[in-house]
Amino acid sequence: MQLTIDGTTHDLEVEPEMPLLWVLRDELGFKGVKYGCGIAQCGACTVQIDGQAVRSCQVRAGDVWGPVTTVHGLGTPKALHAVQAAWVEHQVAQCGYCQSGQITAAAALLSEVSQPSDEDIDNAMSGNLCRCGTYPRIRAAVKTAAQKMQEG
């Protein structure tokens, strides 16, 4: 099967039932996509499929319906995505384990809602758990990223 990940098309020999998370981590080496709970309850494995935030632990490789974007594909160290830059600015990460899923979910939110309210942010991010409790910083970073994306 072929999957497009972060703009690159990959030819893969995997079972269609294999969770996308394992394709990304074990077959392609995208270690920024994290395994958290394996039952779609924590959001650590969040990626975007065709712009929609999904839990990659619960999507079978054979069911992927569009291009996949991981935290690796949002920006680069020299050209951070607005969400990544805001995460740095607000020092959101503590242990950092959940951050790739948080950032990917926030980027998906901002692609749909350019000026999210607190409620929009809380609803969109409610499936992404942070054991360090950085939720106020996450909300501030999402708002900063939204503002910077509006400014261009």
Side-chain angles (χ1 to χ4, degrees):
M1 81 177 57
Q2 284 190 333
L3 294 177
T4 301
I5 316 293
D6 296 336
T8 301
T9 300
H10 300 271
D11 291 311
L12 299 160
E13 291 188 29
V14 298
E15 296 296 323
E17 295 81 21
M18 178 182 267
L20 176 60
L21 174 62
W22 301 133
V23 173
L24 294 170
R25 287 186 57 83
D26 296 345
E27 299 295 325
L28 297 172
F30 288 88
K31 301 297 186 188
V33 183
K34 302 298 184 190
Y35 173 78
C37 64
I39 56 172
Q41 296 298 304
C42 74
C45 66
T46 301
V47 299
Q48 296 177 11
I49 299 178
D50 207 15
Q52 178 184 354
V54 299
R55 307 296 183 255
S56 63
C57 70
Q58 296 298 302
V59 176
R60 299 178 327 159
D63 292 338
V64 173
W65 60 88
V68 176
T69 303
T70 73
V71 71
H72 301 278
L74 289 176
T76 67
K78 291 184 179 180
L80 296 175
H81 184 279
V83 174
Q84 294 168 318
W87 244 246
V88 172
E89 181 180 334
H90 289 276
Q91 299 181 6
V92 173
Q94 288 194 7
C95 84
Y97 197 81
C98 68
Q99 298 307 299
S100 63
Q102 300 271 4
I103 289 169
T104 306
L109 167 64
L110 293 178
S111 70
E112 293 182 14
V113 182
S114 62
Q115 291 296 318
S117 65
D118 287 348
E119 184 178 358
D120 293 332
I121 296 168
D122 292 348
N123 286 337
M125 305 300 291
S126 65
N128 291 76
L129 304 180
C130 174
R131 290 175 35 177
C132 302
T134 62
Y135 299 110
R137 292 183 198 171
I138 289 169
R139 186 187 288 165
V142 171
K143 288 185 172 188
T144 295
Q147 182 179 359
K148 297 222 170 154
M149 290 170 77
Q150 287 284 313
E151 295 169 0

